[in-house]
Amino acid sequence: QVQLVESGGGLVQPGGSLRLSCAASGSISSIVVMGWYRQAPGKQRELVADITRGGSTNYADSVKGRFTISRDNAKNTVYLQMNSLLPEDTAVYYCKVVVPFITYWGQGTQVTVSS
C-alpha cells in the first residue's frame, strides 16, 4: 500500500499564493504519474495538473500560467505552486499518485480563496 500525506492548504486572499505538497510513502516501486485534482462543493472532481516521472506536465486550462507542478523523484514528493489565486480556485485539493496498475488518492487539503 501507498500512503499520501498532503500539506499546504489554507486561507488566502485573491491574488495570493500557496504551495501544496504531497509526500508518498509505503510500498512504492516506481511512480508513473503524480498529480493534483480539486473538488469544489456541487462540482465534480477535476484535474488541476499532473507530471510524469520524466517531467512532462499537463495543466487544466483554468490554471495555466498561474499554477506550476513539480516533483522530487528521490523524495517521492509532488508540489503545486499556486499563484494569482482566484475565488474560483477554492476547493479541496487531492493528491493523486499512480504506480504500476494502481492509483492512490490523498485525503485532500482545503484551499480557500476569499477576501
Side-chain angles (χ1 to χ4, degrees):
Q1 63 179 14
V2 173
Q3 297 82 43
L4 306 178
V5 179
E6 303 179 30
S7 63
L11 174 64
V12 66
Q13 295 183 354
S17 297
L18 288 172
R19 190 175 83 150
L20 307 183
S21 299
C22 176
S25 63
S27 301
I28 300 173
S29 55
S30 61
I31 298 176
V32 179
V33 178
M34 303 186 81
W36 293 94
Y37 285 67
R38 67 187 181 187
Q39 187 167 24
K43 299 179 66 177
Q44 296 184 18
R45 187 173 298 187
E46 64 176 357
L47 171 71
V48 177
D50 59 27
I51 184 168
T52 68
R53 184 175 183 84
S56 297
T57 58
N58 181 45
Y59 294 93
D61 288 342
S62 60
V63 307
K64 287 180 180 177
R66 299 189 297 119
F67 292 8
T68 302
I69 189 170
S70 61
R71 66 187 289 175
D72 186 331
N73 290 334
K75 297 180 179 179
N76 291 323
T77 300
V78 63
Y79 307 93
L80 185 68
Q81 179 66 47
M82 304 184 292
N83 298 325
S84 302
L85 283 161
L86 302 169
E88 303 93 276
D89 296 317
T90 296
V92 177
Y93 284 70
Y94 296 92
C95 178
K96 177 183 177 181
V97 170
V98 180
V99 299
F101 307 108
I102 301 174
T103 299
Y104 296 91
W105 292 92
Q107 295 192 20
T109 183
Q110 177 70 49
V111 171
T112 302
V113 185
S114 176
S115 61

